[in-house]
Amino acid sequence: PNRIIVAPMCQYSAQGGTPTDWHLMHLGQFAVAGPGLVFVEASGVESIGRITPGCTGVWSDEQEVAFKRITKFCRTYGNAKIGMQLAHAGRKASCDVPWNGGAQYASDHEQGWPVVSSSAVPYANSWQVPEALDEEGMERVKQSFVGAAERCIRIGFDVIEIHMAHGYLLAQFLSPLSNLRTDNYGG
């Protein structure tokens, strides 16, 4: 009906990657307000692809059910199309929420996890050195994107967008600052 788009906005309010009532309220308020398209926040295609432990994901049946509830609500009461932004934070994952400073957790921290990237180059001096993805790891990530897209189709999203900004994993393969590979995936 119009070209107004509500951009993805990280809410950091998920539980184990699963959206909560907060997301129902947050997305629902926009769906009924009249825009043409409302995007869900950047959602991890695998657990280690989330920016923070509070970020949503699209890798489990529980998440699929929760997102179906939200999209059904948005369609029942609003007219907006609903979009999903699929993401993988790569070396910028495993961080605390912004209002606590947003620092990256150590891989062995209670809420942290090991991070991956195109090369073993940390984002900043105090950040984890990521594991450089080998071909098996890249295939796992690729299949995670495929699986998440398939879930999004089952959920009924109208648009699926791949997040390639903010220096997250896919951008890490494109940047000479983070990709020091000499194989077919670098150079």
Side-chain angles (χ1 to χ4, degrees):
N2 61 63
R3 293 185 175 142
I4 298 171
I5 298 173
V6 177
M9 293 177 269
C10 289
Q11 296 298 296
Y12 310 108
S13 300
Q15 297 294 319
T18 302
T20 64
D21 284 347
W22 172 265
H23 296 89
L24 177 72
M25 180 279 307
H26 172 73
L27 296 165
Q29 72 174 329
F30 292 117
V32 302
L37 173 63
V38 176
F39 267 102
V40 174
E41 66 193 84
S43 297
V45 297
E46 61 177 353
S47 179
I48 67 166
R50 295 171 296 155
I51 305 163
T52 75
C55 291
T56 55
V58 196
W59 68 83
S60 77
D61 293 342
E62 180 182 0
Q63 294 157 352
E64 187 173 332
V65 168
F67 274 122
K68 278 184 181 179
R69 176 177 174 245
I70 291 167
T71 57
K72 180 180 178 188
F73 178 90
C74 291
R75 287 205 172 81
T76 300
Y77 298 102
N79 295 315
K81 301 287 186 190
I82 308 298
M84 169 57 79
Q85 186 181 63
L86 298 179
H88 195 300
R91 70 182 186 163
K92 294 178 77 177
S94 188
C95 293
D96 198 352
V97 292
W99 52 85
N100 289 337
Q104 188 175 58
Y105 293 122
S107 62
D108 61 352
H109 184 276
E110 171 185 335
Q111 291 188 298
W113 54 86
V115 298
V116 299
S117 186
S118 55
S119 300
V121 178
Y123 175 66
N125 289 334
S126 61
W127 289 47
Q128 293 182 44
V129 175
E131 174 190 342
L133 287 166
D134 58 14
E135 290 199 25
E136 182 180 315
M138 286 186 276
E139 183 62 26
R140 184 196 76 241
V141 171
K142 176 183 168 185
Q143 291 308 315
S144 295
F145 272 96
V146 169
E150 290 170 346
R151 284 185 188 279
C152 288
I153 291 167
R154 289 194 302 268
I155 292 165
F157 284 105
D158 300 297
V159 176
I160 302 170
E161 176 182 72
I162 296 177
H163 194 331
M164 292 184 67
H166 307 315
Y168 293 142
L169 183 62
L170 299 179
Q172 290 163 26
F173 274 89
L174 298 176
S175 172
L177 300 176
S178 53
N179 187 345
L180 306 180
R181 301 174 78 103
T182 57
D183 62 7
N184 290 335
Y185 300 98

